[in-house]
Amino acid sequence: GLCAPSFLSQRARISPPTAATAIVTPQLKITGHGNSFWNFSMFEGTSEDSIASVGIEIALGTRNYFNNVAIMNMGDATNGHSGDEANSAPLLLAGASENVFEQCYIGLDTATRTAANANVRFTKNGSQACTRNIFRDCFFPMMADADAPLFFDAPASGCLDRWQLFERCKFINNIKS
């Protein structure tokens, strides 16, 4: 198995226009089951103060498969950027179960993060917790200048049920080394 995606950033990229002033969040919301997503990149680098940014949200979706997908948001380095917003996350799993992420790039290390946000956030959707999601050979980058940013967050009681598997994944906090 690989330790990082085949490409760190696909150029088949979904991104708002450079001149955009409003964050589109989430950029992609998946509520279906059994879908496959391959070989593309998502990026959000718009600066909109006080708005949490989410790249992909899987809301109650099950058995979806992601391979070589780069999910990068919180990419604006100015004051008030989404990296300074709590609850921002490239990937939000809201009651999502049995999804598989292989060789994915989730996060970015080009803009500094300060607030309580995460590369992956697990939440409940109604009474449904996140159950049995698999991350295999994924790469989780960040650049944090405080102790609040997290790789993973399950902020409320009952967000997780059973297990979440991280197999051969890499977690890197680039601290301007």
Side-chain angles (χ1 to χ4, degrees), residues 121-134:
R121 183 166 303 250
F122 299 96
T123 63
K124 288 171 67 172
N125 192 321
S127 63
Q128 180 65 42
C130 295
T131 307
R132 296 184 294 265
N133 293 290
I134 298 172

Side-chain angles (χ1 to χ4, degrees), residues 139-150:
F139 189 72
F140 299 90
M142 80 159 87
M143 182 167 54
D145 66 357
D147 62 357
L150 303 169

Side-chain angles (χ1 to χ4, degrees), residues 15-37:
S15 178
T18 305
T21 58
I23 289 175
V24 175
T25 186
Q27 282 184 289
L28 177 61
K29 185 172 185 174
I30 300 163
T31 58
H33 313 287
N35 299 293
S36 292
F37 301 89

Side-chain angles (χ1 to χ4, degrees), residues 50-125:
S50 302
I51 303 293
S53 171
V54 173
I56 294 177
E57 176 183 351
I58 303 176
L60 298 175
T62 60
R63 298 179 183 94
N64 295 296
Y65 179 76
F66 296 79
N67 185 285
N68 199 31
V69 173
I71 313 166
M72 304 170 289
N73 64 329
M74 300 184 278
D76 187 299
T78 61
N79 289 333
H81 74 289
S82 50
D84 283 333
E85 297 299 336
N87 301 319
S88 288
L91 180 59
L92 172 61
L93 300 178
S97 297
E98 300 181 10
N99 297 286
V100 175
F101 301 86
E102 285 193 301
Q103 298 183 38
C104 292
Y105 186 92
I106 304 170
L108 58 74
D109 61 5
T110 55
T112 305
R113 289 169 41 191
T114 300
N117 48 46
N119 291 49
V120 180
R121 183 166 303 250
F122 299 96
T123 63
K124 288 171 67 172
N125 192 321

Side-chain angles (χ1 to χ4, degrees), residues 4-50:
S6 299
F7 300 102
L8 293 180
S9 180
Q10 297 290 339
R11 294 321 290 174
R13 183 164 103 162
I14 300 167
S15 178
T18 305
T21 58
I23 289 175
V24 175
T25 186
Q27 282 184 289
L28 177 61
K29 185 172 185 174
I30 300 163
T31 58
H33 313 287
N35 299 293
S36 292
F37 301 89
W38 292 71
N39 301 327
F40 70 92
S41 163
M42 298 186 71
F43 175 77
E44 180 277 307
T46 304
S47 177
E48 186 174 2
D49 206 8
S50 302

